[in-house]
């Protein structure tokens, strides 16, 4: 998708450097603005709490991450000089119907994910509560409002940046088979999604403030969503599961009042098992639905995207039946009954033959 006719070898590193610098500058500017707002509000900002309060800090974090969306759109359009819609899917746009279908699939999958976590906790640490005590409506409801409003933008931004922009950036170095040196081993490797999936999944894991089992947990999720993005030819499925997963995770943290530690920690092996189950179930259902719908997986114009021509439609048998042959006396020969066409006597050309030629020295037209 990013290897357009304007592609040059230096465009991907320039686009990556530009995107990283813009993201860092935006975060610094927003951090300074947040610190000033906290001081004006009588709160003391810290390194872990830029706005000095739990819910404002959550909103600030989600907004900062959401700013990656306009940044990668800008870089794709201005630096790579290509259509922004190419970041979304092979159709060059968001496939809204498919996105809605993936959201519907994600809801029961998240319920199964939580069920697996609950069952594992009962088996390993039954004395520990699965969810902490309710913090009260005065803390929960404002946090829930922020989560419902901003998490879709935060999760989508991470997909645009990592499963869209970054994966296509890596894949743009894969020469086409018809290009010069396109048949080399390196070119064939770069044309596969392996390197793009590995880079995207690794960067996604490293950008989170996790360690230990939690790092493996988020790596499993990142690699699975990268593979699913390649398989379905778009970001819709990854966006759907990422949004629903984060809504559930942040919602539970808000319920028990642990939002300050929601994006940190070491995790557990039970979490890795739960996320693996979630990814396998979601990918399996989405793959089946994509095949059943005949979802386009490659960009129009790709050799792999060419559909087989439709099978010729057969005419009815009565149309294909030859006209009867008549005797000079006009009687039908045996075996010619049932035809809808009758050849007039003296017309050897049949009912659809050319009209008799009317003369001319040059003969019939050629």
């Amino acid at each position: 998708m990013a290897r357009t006719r304007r592609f040059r070898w230096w465009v991907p590193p320039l686009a990556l450097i530009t995107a990283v610098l813009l993201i860092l500058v935006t975060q610094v500017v927003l951090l300074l603005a947040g610190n000033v707002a906290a001081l004006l509000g009588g709160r003391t900002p810290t390194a872990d709490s830029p706005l000095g309060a739990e819910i404002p800090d959550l909103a600030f974090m989600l907004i900062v991450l959401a700013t990656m969306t306009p940044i990668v759109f800008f870089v794709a359009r201005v630096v790579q000089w290509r259509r922004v819609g190419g970041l979304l899917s092979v159709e060059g746009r968001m496939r809204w119907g498919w996105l809605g279908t993936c959201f519907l699939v994600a809801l029961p999958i998240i319920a199964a994910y939580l069920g697996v976590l609950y069952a594992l906790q009962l088996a390993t640490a039954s004395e520990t509560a699965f969810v902490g005590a309710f913090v009260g409506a005065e803390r929960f409801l404002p946090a829930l409002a922020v989560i419902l409003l901003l998490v879709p933008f935060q999760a989508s931004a991470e997909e645009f940046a990592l499963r869209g922009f970054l994966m296509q950036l890596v894949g743009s170095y894969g020469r086409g088979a018809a290009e010069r040196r396109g048949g080399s081993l390196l070119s064939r490797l770069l044309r596969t999604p392996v390197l793009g999936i590995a880079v995207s999944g690794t960067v996604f894991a490293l950008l989170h403030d996790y360690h230990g089992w939690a790092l493996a947990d988020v790596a499993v999720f990142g690699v699975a969503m990268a593979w699913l993005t390649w398989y379905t030819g778009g970001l819709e499925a990854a966006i759907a599961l990422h949004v629903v997963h984060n809504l559930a995770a942040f919602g539970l943290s808000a319920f028990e009042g642990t939002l300050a530690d929601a994006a940190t920690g070491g995790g557990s092996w039970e979490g890795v098992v739960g996320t693996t189950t979630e990814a396998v179930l979601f990918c399996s259902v989405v793959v089946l639905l994509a095949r059943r719908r005949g979802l386009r997986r490659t960009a129009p114009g790709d050799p792999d995207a060419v559909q087989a021509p439709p099978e010729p439609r057969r005419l009815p048998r009565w149309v294909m039946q030859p006209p009867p042959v008549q005797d000079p006396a006009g009687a039908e020969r045996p075996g010619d009954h049932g035809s809808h066409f009758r050849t007039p006597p003296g017309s050897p050309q049949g009912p659809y033959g050319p009209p008799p030629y009317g003369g001319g020295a040059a003969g019939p037209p050629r």
Side-chain angles (χ1 to χ4, degrees):
M1 297 298 293
R3 193 176 180 86
T4 65
R5 60 186 179 86
R6 296 186 175 90
F7 174 84
R8 301 295 183 273
W9 67 267
W10 46 267
V11 171
L14 177 62
L16 180 61
I17 293 172
T18 304
V20 170
L21 289 177
L22 288 176
I23 289 173
L24 291 176
V25 169
T26 302
Q27 290 183 355
V28 169
V29 171
L30 291 177
L31 180 61
L32 293 176
N35 290 341
V36 171
L39 292 173
L40 294 177
R43 297 186 298 271
T44 303
T46 63
D48 296 330
S49 179
L51 271 68
E54 183 182 64
I55 296 178
D57 286 341
L58 172 66
F60 175 80
M61 178 192 69
L62 297 176
I63 291 172
V64 167
L65 292 174
T67 58
M68 291 192 295
T69 294
I71 290 174
V72 296
F73 283 5
F74 172 80
V75 172
R77 189 69 185 94
V78 175
V79 179
Q80 294 179 309
W81 200 247
R82 63 191 182 102
R83 293 182 180 275
V84 173
L87 289 172
L88 309 180
S89 77
V90 295
E91 300 281 3
R93 59 180 177 81
M94 184 67 74
R95 299 170 291 188
W96 294 106
W98 176 239
L99 178 65
T101 300
C102 293
F103 267 113
L104 293 177
V105 173
L107 293 174
I109 297 298
I110 291 298
Y113 161 73
L114 295 174
V116 169
L117 292 181
Y118 182 67
L120 290 174
Q121 181 167 338
L122 286 179
T124 58
S126 57
E127 69 281 357
T128 304
F130 183 66
V131 180
F134 183 47
V135 296
E138 66 280 357
R139 288 181 59 188
F140 174 69
L141 292 180
L144 183 63
V146 171
I147 291 168
L148 293 176
L149 178 64
L150 296 179
V151 161
F153 296 100
Q154 167 263 327
S156 300
E158 293 184 7
E159 297 303 324
F160 293 142
L162 298 172
R163 256 71 76 176
F165 177 76
L166 184 59
M167 277 186 66
Q168 293 181 4
L169 203 73
V170 175
S172 65
Y173 277 110
R175 298 175 184 268
E179 297 184 52
R180 184 169 174 265
R181 296 197 300 274
S184 66
L185 179 62
L186 180 60
S187 295
R188 292 200 301 270
L189 174 63
L190 291 174
R191 281 201 299 271
T192 70
V194 174
L195 188 59
I197 291 173
V199 171
S200 173
T202 302
V203 173
F204 178 72
L206 295 178
L207 288 179
H208 288 77
D209 189 18
Y210 291 130
H211 61 273
W213 286 111
L215 197 62
D217 188 322
V218 74
V220 168
F221 186 89
V223 170
M225 293 305 99
W227 178 86
L228 195 59
T229 296
W230 164 77
Y231 186 89
T232 60
L235 296 172
E236 296 89 354
I239 288 174
L241 186 61
H242 200 161
V243 168
V244 175
H245 180 100
N246 281 12
L247 286 175
F250 280 114
L252 289 175
S253 296
F255 181 88
E256 59 187 12
T258 57
L259 282 173
D261 302 322
T264 60
S268 64
W269 67 267
E270 293 91 343
V272 177
V273 173
T275 299
T276 303
T277 304
E278 171 192 14
V280 170
L281 289 176
F282 184 74
C283 290
S284 300
V285 176
V286 168
V287 165
L288 291 176
L289 291 177
R291 290 178 177 178
R292 186 167 185 174
R293 291 177 57 141
L295 193 71
R296 180 181 286 278
R297 297 174 50 198
T298 53
D302 287 355
D304 294 338
V306 177
Q307 301 291 328
E311 185 178 349
R313 187 174 181 181
R314 295 184 178 274
L315 295 174
R317 181 177 297 178
W318 63 267
V319 175
M320 304 301 294
Q321 188 174 3
V325 180
Q326 293 187 347
D327 292 329
E332 292 185 2
R333 293 181 181 179
D336 293 331
H337 296 285
S339 172
H340 292 265
F341 305 108
R342 297 184 182 275
T343 306
S347 299
Q349 299 288 346
Y352 302 110
Y357 176 63
R366 300 188 183 276

